[in-house]
Amino acid sequence: MNGAGLEDVLPLSPMQEGMLYHALLDEQELDVYGGQIAFDFEGALDVAALKAAAAALLRRHANLRAGFLHEGFDKPVQLIPREVELPWQEIDLTDVAAEDEPHRLDALMAADRAQHFDLTAPPLVRFSLVRLSGRRFRFVLANHHILLDGWSMAIMLRELFVLYAQGGDDTGLPRVTPYRDYLAWAAAQNRDEAAKAWGRSLAGVEEPTLLAPAAPAAATEPPHYHHHELSEELTAAVAALARRHDLTANTVVQASWGVLLGRLTGRDDVVFGSTVSGRPPEMAGMENMVGLFINTLPVRVRLDAGQSVADLLRRLQDEQSELMDHQHYGLSDIQALLGGGELFDTITAFESYPVDTDSFSEPVDGLRVTGVHTTDDNHYPFSLAILPGERMRLRMGYRPDLFTAGQVELIGLRLQHILERFADAPEQLLGRLDVLTGAEREQLLRVWQGPRPTAPATTFPALFEAQAARTPDAPAVV
């Protein structure tokens, strides 16, 4: 990138700084922040129009052309060139036998997924079109997460299909609100007030809450995923609980995760991460802005055994509401307030952004979407994504070198069990809340204990006296 070809020089958002740090740290390892979404098309695909639509996206959104530099600067910057060459490739698999096609597609997706983005060489997005037999195609869009988040991806995909229908002409699409406007808004926020608010929220936290055992320096393979779907009845019960107590469903799930994390780590004061949308509603045009707005921030849950579930839920929501105006503050700055170092190794995300894959089933006349494949990883050992719907889904991502599939499945079952207890008895005290599933309790009390011995018909004092007579010199209590 030379000066004559530059359109803009911008700072980085806190989340972008974090992703750049991990990209540099793991330069020779797996880059978990390389995202991928693929569409299976069937019908009369106009390849030239699709290519023109992809090029139009890069023209419309300047920050999709960003490259990131840190050497020679006090703080890293993103440079926006005026033009970039469209990274486009076409692959022909029309002659592949039907039985071999899935394996070839999987191999292509894996190879694309493993291909590193050089953050200094924009654009950090690429398009691949795979031709299959019988007027079928797979269209793969890969990008580095440092450019955009899930909400932005949904906006970009909607624009892509409009641009495709119009042959790359963006007439009729809303005016682009540039990402630089958001960065200017973030820079203008009161950092001192934010630091005070986060300092108050985390006062007394002396050590991180870590679920995983000691982790190696970097992941050697992408995260594995386990999906757990709640019943319609439980989903409705969670929603009813939230409405009855003026809560969000996110608060209910976060509180249940805090309870489970406390039991799993043996602590009554836990911290985990939460991914927030980071889109300030007061900014004009924010609903159509493309960029990386999300931020990962700490959630602290203090577990008082004498407090009811309902009281915990209200307190957690109140505490989170007090931090709403300070969600722009960076995680590294928050960590610095507490002396540096990590605070947690698990994160949650309530995925309420408008990605409705059903709406892409017939994007334009004569073209049908028959499948959608997405990848959205992160570097944390364990992540919990909550996907709302008639049946709430829990998507748990985990590092397979740190957790087994069985352990993660059990975490999902326990979380469901806690949600059931929350919904059934919100007045129950936390100290009386049982986190074991029915199967676990049966295993502990029945299977592992074996036949129960017959208890003598006597009292405890009599048994104590008899034991004292048998071993009068033995310690009674230690």
Side-chain angles (χ1 to χ4, degrees):
M1 291 179 284
N2 56 59
L6 276 182
E7 179 176 315
D8 214 343
V9 180
L10 300 174
L12 275 62
S13 72
M15 194 69 167
Q16 285 181 316
E17 288 186 355
M19 288 188 180
L20 178 62
Y21 167 79
H22 283 286
L24 295 173
L25 185 68
D26 304 335
E27 208 163 29
Q28 305 304 318
E29 306 291 342
L30 175 74
D31 186 357
V32 294
Y33 287 106
Q36 188 185 65
I37 184 166
F39 289 88
D40 291 331
F41 291 138
E42 188 173 307
L45 178 68
D46 185 337
V47 176
L50 185 60
K51 189 173 182 180
L57 282 177
L58 295 183
R59 289 196 304 272
R60 276 177 59 80
H61 300 283
N63 52 304
L64 295 184
R65 306 192 298 270
F68 296 80
L69 298 181
H70 68 285
E71 292 184 353
F73 296 92
D74 292 335
K75 294 200 72 174
V77 296
Q78 46 186 319
L79 306 183
I80 314 294
R82 297 185 187 281
E83 296 181 358
V84 292
E85 183 178 349
L86 176 69
W88 178 277
Q89 68 166 336
E90 296 182 27
I91 303 164
D92 192 341
L93 295 184
T94 54
D95 293 333
V96 173
E99 62 271 19
D100 294 332
E101 185 181 277
H103 305 294
R104 291 290 298 276
L105 281 174
D106 287 346
L108 282 173
M109 295 288 284
D112 180 69
R113 174 74 183 81
Q115 186 177 341
H116 273 242
F117 283 101
D118 178 356
L119 298 191
T120 67
L124 307 181
V125 59
R126 58 178 177 264
F127 305 89
S128 303
L129 182 64
V130 184
R131 296 174 181 269
L132 305 170
S133 61
R135 297 206 312 169
R136 294 178 302 117
F137 303 83
R138 176 166 291 185
F139 178 60
V140 184
L141 193 165
N143 68 280
H144 197 283
H145 207 353
I146 200 170
L147 291 186
L148 69 163
D149 51 31
W151 190 299
S152 298
M153 176 61 78
I155 295 169
M156 199 170 77
L157 290 172
R158 288 200 302 271
E159 287 193 5
L160 177 72
F161 287 126
V162 172
L163 290 165
Y164 169 78
Q166 298 177 175
D169 182 1
D170 66 354
T171 303
L173 285 173
R175 185 187 72 85
V176 173
T177 305
Y179 186 58
R180 66 171 294 125
D181 288 5
Y182 165 75
L183 295 173
W185 173 89
Q189 300 310 297
N190 191 320
R191 291 180 55 81
D192 290 339
E193 286 299 318
K196 291 176 184 176
W198 283 107
R200 289 192 299 270
S201 173
L202 298 171
V205 173
E206 297 178 348
E207 59 181 343
T209 303
L210 303 178
L211 180 62
T220 57
E221 61 177 300
H224 289 196
Y225 288 91
H226 174 72
H227 297 263
H228 187 91
E229 189 172 66
L230 306 184
S231 67
E232 288 186 26
E233 292 77 15
L234 179 55
T235 302
V238 169
L241 173 67
R243 285 194 304 271
R244 194 160 60 248
H245 295 276
D246 294 323
L247 308 166
T248 65
N250 188 31
T251 294
V252 177
V253 178
Q254 284 189 336
S256 65
W257 176 244
V259 168
L260 180 55
L261 190 59
R263 299 294 179 89
L264 291 173
T265 58
R267 301 178 56 177
D268 59 9
D269 188 356
V270 298
V271 180
F272 56 89
S274 175
T275 302
V276 298
S277 70
R279 289 176 174 259
E282 64 269 25
M283 276 196 66
M286 175 54 67
E287 67 278 4
N288 292 314
M289 196 183 297
V290 169
L292 184 68
F293 302 94
I294 60 170
N295 199 6
T296 298
L297 296 168
V299 175
R300 184 183 190 181
V301 180
R302 283 166 286 191
L303 303 166
D304 181 349
Q307 190 177 45
S308 70
V309 168
D311 288 340
L312 169 66
L313 292 170
R314 282 190 289 267
R315 176 163 56 83
L316 179 59
Q317 178 140 315
D318 289 344
E319 290 171 351
Q320 291 300 295
S321 296
E322 291 176 3
L323 295 167
M324 284 287 289
D325 292 337
H326 311 293
Q327 291 184 343
H328 58 86
Y329 207 59
L331 179 58
S332 61
D333 295 317
I334 295 172
Q335 291 170 327
L337 295 174
L338 302 179
E342 63 182 337
L343 290 172
F344 49 81
D345 67 352
T346 68
I347 62 167
T348 66
F350 196 84
E351 296 193 351
S352 58
Y353 51 79
V355 178
D356 179 11
T357 55
D358 292 338
S359 66
F360 299 134
S361 58
E362 290 281 355
V364 291
D365 291 340
L367 190 64
R368 190 162 63 93
V369 174
T370 59
V372 181
H373 316 269
T374 61
T375 299
D376 186 16
D377 301 331
N378 60 72
H379 73 277
Y380 290 96
F382 183 92
S383 62
L384 171 66
I386 303 99
L387 292 79
E390 289 188 6
R391 297 169 63 100
M392 184 185 290
R393 289 180 294 132
L394 309 176
R395 186 182 69 227
M396 290 165 280
Y398 63 97
R399 283 182 52 168
D401 56 333
L402 302 176
F403 298 95
T404 67
Q407 288 173 326
V408 175
E409 181 181 9
L410 185 55
I411 286 174
L413 290 170
R414 286 171 171 166
L415 195 57
Q416 174 184 306
H417 178 75
I418 293 172
L419 287 170
E420 290 170 346
R421 300 285 73 77
F422 274 22
D424 289 344
E427 71 285 351
Q428 184 177 25
L429 298 182
L430 292 174
R432 296 184 178 275
L433 189 67
D434 185 6
V435 304
L436 296 179
T437 66
E440 286 183 289
R441 178 163 289 279
E442 176 68 20
Q443 189 175 45
L444 283 171
L445 298 182
R446 300 283 187 268
V447 178
W448 285 351
Q449 285 202 33
R452 291 190 176 187
T454 302
T458 185
T459 63
F460 178 76
L463 291 172
F464 189 91
E465 289 175 0
Q467 182 62 41
R470 283 192 297 269
T471 57
D473 296 328
V477 177
V478 175

